[in-house]
Amino acid sequence: MTETIISSATREVTIGFDQPFVIIGERINPTGRKLLAAEMAEGNYSRVESDTIAQVEAGAHMLDVNAGIPLADEPKILAEVVRLVQSLTDVPLSIDSSIVAALESGLGVYQGKALVNSVTGEEDRLETVLPLVKKHGAAVVAISNDETGISEDPDVRFAVARKIVQRAADYGIPASDVVVDPLVMPIGALGTAGRQVLSLVRRLREELKVNTTCGASNFSFGLPNRHGLNSAFLSMIIGAGMTSAITNPLHDPEMTGVMGANVVLGHDQNCAKWIGKFREPAAEGAEGAGGRREGRRRRRG
Amino acid sequence: MTETIISSATREVTIGFDQPFVIIGERINPTGRKLLAAEMAEGNYSRVESDTIAQVEAGAHMLDVNAGIPLADEPKILAEVVRLVQSLTDVPLSIDSSIVAALESGLGVYQGKALVNSVTGEEDRLETVLPLVKKHGAAVVAISNDETGISEDPDVRFAVARKIVQRAADYGIPASDVVVDPLVMPIGALGTAGRQVLSLVRRLREELKVNTTCGASNFSFGLPNRHGLNSAFLSMIIGAGMTSAITNPLHDPEMTGVMGANVVLGHDQNCAKWIGKFREPAAEGAEGAGGRREGRRRRRG
């Protein structure tokens, strides 16, 4: 029963085999968001603030924070954003950068035990990121590609994941602090992409005994009704044993797929979260004096 | 790679491990439908006709036909309904009754290889239904309860399923013609109901090598947003290996969950069915002359 504990100064989140699925909000990331990138480069973090609040309100258990803006001072910006986000919310953070100096800078100001996003199986990345993870007592996302790129062969991706877990152990980082991303390919490009992830998640859980995460929305790239397909995909990978995802908590179909999967696996005690979210307004209104009438009015509207 | 082939006079449907999930439309059933029951008892089958057409149009691959009306002449009505439905559609049927004489009467007029719904592990049921299934060269739904009722212990339900498969073999019915229903309990009443079904489906597939079916909507009994929960549940049980369900094809969330699961498992070649159902109107319009403008207009509306 592997558990990965991530924390802020005042709150812990457990990613684990017997835990509700952990949603890591993906929005604070300038990649592909021109306006956000321009604002962040100027030190204007108003959109970071609103994204923080909206994602936590929508049910994110953690937030991913990325400041990857070309030509900008990423270490400085990432540290500022980490500080800002931690002043606004107590949900733990995933500190996300491809630049080791930026990870170091973000970890330097972070309060709590962070999730470092990410290390790959590339030698230079292993040798620079893992010591940093160990030094800060953090956990780390392990992405199952290496110098040769992303293999379409799931056995190769599994072998890369195993190598990263072993190397982490050499640095004194337990497998329970390595969260493996088996890499989700677009099903429109690779017809076996879904089956690959389902079988990799089971193997990572049973053989390596590690927690798992992924960028789920990549699965539906290029197809219509992406939210509907992402929702089914999320339910199925949770059923196969996936324990977290970096995704957009503002999308209702995806969140319903995740919440439904928690119910199916018995990870939503007495279905309390499901009932709390979906019970009809009339029932809510009935709880307080005068509320019943308001509930009815809402229904008519 | 177990395959159960069900047919009408002119069409075959294959329930199988490597096949798209088979939807058996549940609507032609007077249980809990007072108006339909009253009409059927009077020999008025107009609603049976409209339910037949609507379910096939909505994507049902097979239809379940039940005529269980208290005090009515069920064998006569079931035979009439089977004849009528087969005159309207070529999708194969599941002939559904708790009365053996009604099963016999329905099978007597059926054209093709039917699915008989159902046999249980009860001795009298095994001894009367299985010879009938063998005589008509049909396949059969095996429900995993016996004289002691429905066990909450999944190991007991598995043992009942194994017993039925063995008894069917004694009558010359191969395991590939037994489709096991592991019994879906309401999650609101039994917190382990989801995990039980997921693990039973895997065992039935790996150990008994049989196809599976269920009444999926029972899972969400008593909870709000039943369609959303059924959708997640269907995606997950398909991911675990369930190969068919008796359900309502007129509900969009459930059908989206099933179609999404087919995509994830690579059972929707080139995602063609998903794209066909969900591509945007503008893209459709672009195919024909003048259509492009119409597509745009639709988008604005």
Side-chain angles (χ1 to χ4, degrees), chain B residues 142-181:
Chain B
I143 302 189
S144 51
N145 70 295
D146 62 12
E147 286 84 357
T148 64
I150 299 174
S151 173
E152 286 197 4
D153 180 346
D155 289 340
V156 172
R157 302 219 294 283
F158 182 81
V160 173
R162 185 168 49 201
K163 179 178 86 169
I164 301 173
V165 170
Q166 287 166 345
R167 292 293 288 276
D170 293 343
Y171 282 97
I173 302 164
S176 61
D177 276 336
V178 181
V179 180
V180 173
D181 180 344

Side-chain angles (χ1 to χ4, degrees), chain A residues 27 32 83 96 125 141 166 186 244 253 269 292:
Chain A
R27 293 287 292 159
R83 267 213 193 92
D96 182 2
R125 195 81 185 162
V141 173
Q166 286 167 346
S244 71
Q269 197 74 37
R292 179 175 283 262

Side-chain angles (χ1 to χ4, degrees), chain B residues 2-5 113 130 133-134 137-140 164-180 208-211:
Chain B
T2 300
E3 295 193 336
T4 306
I5 294 170
K113 178 182 172 188
L130 291 179
V133 169
K134 177 62 185 172
V140 66
I164 301 173
V165 170
Q166 287 166 345
R167 292 293 288 276
D170 293 343
Y171 282 97
I173 302 164
S176 61
D177 276 336
V178 181
V179 180
V180 173
L208 293 190
K209 305 195 192 323
V210 289
N211 278 307

Side-chain angles (χ1 to χ4, degrees), chain A residues 187-188 191 194-195 198 202 219 223-225 228-229 232-233 235-236 239 256-257 260-261 263-266 271 274-275 278-279, chain B residues 187-188 191 194-195 198 202 219 223-225 228-229 232-233 235-236 238-239 256-257 260-261 263-266 271 274-275 278-279:
Chain A
I187 185 78
R195 274 181 301 198
L198 294 179
R202 286 197 199 102
F219 184 73
L223 292 174
N225 188 11
L229 186 53
F233 178 65
S235 296
M236 291 171 81
T256 301
V263 170
V264 172
L265 293 184
C271 310
W274 183 271
I275 292 169
F278 294 112
R279 68 183 158 194
Chain B
I187 185 77
R195 274 181 302 198
L198 294 179
R202 286 196 199 103
F219 184 73
L223 292 175
N225 188 11
L229 186 53
F233 178 65
S235 296
M236 291 171 81
I238 296 170
T256 301
V263 170
V264 172
L265 294 184
C271 310
W274 183 271
I275 292 168
F278 293 113
R279 67 182 160 196

Side-chain angles (χ1 to χ4, degrees), chain B residues 3 7 40 68 85 94 104 108 114 117 168-169 190 209 215 219 245 247 268:
Chain B
E3 295 193 336
S7 65
M40 285 173 75
V85 173
S94 155
E104 188 153 23
N117 189 5
L190 183 69
K209 305 195 192 323
F219 184 73
T247 191
D268 179 359

Side-chain angles (χ1 to χ4, degrees), chain B residues 104-126:
Chain B
E104 188 153 23
S105 162
L107 284 166
V109 301
Y110 185 76
Q111 296 196 295
K113 178 182 172 188
L115 181 63
V116 173
N117 189 5
S118 57
V119 69
T120 66
E122 295 161 291
E123 274 307 317
D124 62 336
R125 195 84 185 160
L126 289 165

